[in-house]
């Protein structure tokens, strides 16, 4: 497993889902000592700044907010290419797309060069793509391309929450 190949890394699992008991058994049965489960947290985003990196091993995702949250905190992301993740983030500096091969993925994690990583680039990308100003601009740009009126030009404009189709 990947965890067996990176024993020098302390892995912290925030959250509790249907796989929690299976993961507990896996860690216990294999006597893995570098994994800590902290369980469900009301505000998991408060944990990102404690970590050196974020690891998402999900095989099924859409575009998870956890990646956006980690990027907003400026920490490197290691993720499987599930859902829209690879399409949206494969070109982003600091996002490493994993393969599912424990050996290859351990090599990618161990080989990440933190000294060359510029967290401000990642934070700026996140703000531009997912911050309100970037979302508002893309939304109104899309509207103007569809023949609808352009973005309001005053500072009092805002987007209402909801789904726009």
């Amino acid at each position: 497993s990947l965890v067996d190949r990176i024993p020098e890394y302390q892995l912290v699992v925030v959250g509790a889902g249907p796989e929690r008991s299976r993961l507990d058994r896996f860690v216990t049965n294999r006597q893995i000592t570098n994994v800590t489960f902290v369980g469900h947290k009301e505000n998991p985003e408060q944990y990102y700044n404690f970590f050196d990196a974020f690891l998402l091993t999900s095989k099924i995702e859409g575009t998870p907010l956890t990646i956006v949250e980690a990027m907003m905190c400026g920490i490197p992301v290691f993720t499987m290419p599930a859902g829209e993740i690879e399409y949206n983030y494969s070109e982003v500096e600091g996002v490493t797309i994993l393969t599912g091969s424990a050996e290859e993925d351990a090599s990618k994690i161990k080989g990440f060069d933190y000294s060359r990583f510029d967290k401000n680039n990642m934070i700026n990308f996140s703000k531009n793509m997912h911050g309100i100003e970037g979302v508002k601009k893309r939304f109104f740009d899309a509207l103007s391309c569809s023949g609808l009126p352009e973005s309001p030009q005053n500072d009092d404009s805002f987007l209402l929450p909801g789904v726009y189709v």
Side-chain angles (χ1 to χ4, degrees), residues 46-66:
Q46 294 176 349
Y47 283 79
Y48 292 104
N49 289 316
F50 292 121
F51 303 129
D52 295 320
F54 176 78
L55 175 64
L56 182 71
T57 59
S58 301
K59 295 179 181 173
I60 299 172
E61 287 286 352
T63 302
L65 288 178
T66 54

Side-chain angles (χ1 to χ4, degrees), residues 132 139-140 157-164:
I132 189 64
F139 173 73
F140 285 112
S157 63
F158 61 93
L159 291 178
L160 296 174
V163 177
Y164 295 92

Side-chain angles (χ1 to χ4, degrees), residues 59 74 85 95 105:
K59 295 179 181 173
I85 295 170
V95 174
D105 293 343

Side-chain angles (χ1 to χ4, degrees), residues 9-106:
Y9 291 80
Q10 180 62 41
L11 305 173
V12 178
V13 180
V14 179
E19 295 294 314
R20 171 65 190 271
S21 60
R22 187 181 70 75
L23 292 172
D24 276 331
R25 284 191 308 275
F26 177 82
V27 166
T28 301
N29 292 342
R30 297 190 66 155
Q31 299 178 341
I32 296 171
T33 60
N34 64 328
V35 175
T36 302
F37 296 97
V38 296
H40 172 77
K41 299 296 176 193
E42 285 299 317
N43 299 310
E45 68 279 359
Q46 294 176 349
Y47 283 79
Y48 292 104
N49 289 316
F50 292 121
F51 303 129
D52 295 320
F54 176 78
L55 175 64
L56 182 71
T57 59
S58 301
K59 295 179 181 173
I60 299 172
E61 287 286 352
T63 302
L65 288 178
T66 54
I67 288 179
V68 175
E69 290 167 347
M71 290 172 43
M72 286 288 211
C73 290
I75 60 174
V77 172
F78 297 90
T79 180
M80 294 297 292
E84 294 294 311
I85 295 170
E86 186 170 26
Y87 173 77
N88 289 328
Y89 304 112
S90 65
E91 300 298 318
V92 178
E93 176 193 354
V95 174
T96 302
I97 304 296
L98 302 175
T99 66
S101 160
E103 187 174 325
E104 287 180 47
D105 293 343

